[in-house]
Amino acid sequence: MDTPTWDTELPPEAVKRLRPEDKGRRAVTSLTRKVETLERWGRNGIPAGMAEAVPWDRAKLRRWADVRFGLWPWADPQVDAKDGRNAALMERFRRALEVLEVRAKDRGANLKRELEAKDRIIANLERQNADLLDQVRQLQKMVGVEPVVRR
């Protein structure tokens, strides 16, 4: 099946020349894909390098474009109005952002716990190294060997 013209990458002048129903179909299709993408990221995590792409507000949602995912921008704020004709999609958008925020906070908390655990491991290793160096020095004294000094 061929991709319809309205569902391809188009320069702004070409979008303006589309039939009104195709412009509407393009915007709603793109909005649906954007919401589905955010929901997928909420379930599976944001892919590497895509965190900057997350549209945290309606204006960014409107401008978000990515040919790989078939995400097209639109200019009409009515497409993404909270209580407009796509209110159900916009509610899903808000919920997807909430999930992404929770994931980001959880990730920060997990990173903090990991860093604290690594700090404890490092401190333990430093103590072990100091103990081992002390034992080496004591053994060197016992056998009458001149201590080796690192330079």
Side-chain angles (χ1 to χ4, degrees), residues 17-149:
R17 289 193 303 269
L18 288 173
R19 295 179 310 170
E21 60 269 16
D22 287 343
K23 285 181 194 176
R25 192 173 302 130
R26 176 183 176 87
V28 172
T29 299
S30 184
L31 173 60
T32 302
R33 288 178 185 154
K34 290 176 182 185
V35 170
E36 289 170 348
T37 299
L38 294 172
E39 289 171 335
R40 187 171 46 257
W41 291 357
R43 286 188 306 274
N44 305 327
I46 300 172
M50 296 300 293
E52 312 80 42
V54 175
W56 293 104
D57 60 47
R58 288 178 49 213
K60 288 179 184 168
L61 177 67
R62 245 176 267 132
R63 291 189 305 266
W64 187 17
D66 193 320
V67 176
R68 297 169 296 177
F69 302 116
L71 307 180
W72 319 119
W74 61 85
D76 183 2
Q78 291 305 309
V79 172
D80 54 271
K82 180 180 178 178
D83 297 322
R85 63 184 175 259
N86 300 308
L89 275 172
M90 291 309 296
E91 180 56 32
R92 286 175 54 196
F93 167 68
R94 282 187 289 286
R95 284 195 312 261
L97 289 182
E98 288 171 3
V99 169
L100 289 171
E101 278 182 317
V102 167
R103 283 186 70 96
K105 287 178 185 173
D106 286 349
R107 183 172 183 268
N110 289 340
L111 285 175
K112 185 178 177 184
R113 282 192 295 275
E114 285 178 27
L115 287 174
E116 288 169 351
K118 286 181 182 187
D119 286 345
R120 285 190 300 273
I121 291 169
I122 290 168
N124 285 335
L125 289 171
E126 286 173 343
R127 275 193 299 278
Q128 286 177 0
N129 282 339
D131 290 344
L132 289 171
L133 286 171
D134 188 46
Q135 289 175 19
V136 167
R137 284 188 195 101
Q138 289 175 13
L139 288 170
Q140 287 172 334
K141 277 184 183 177
M142 285 174 45
V143 295
V145 175
E146 191 68 30
V148 177
V149 179

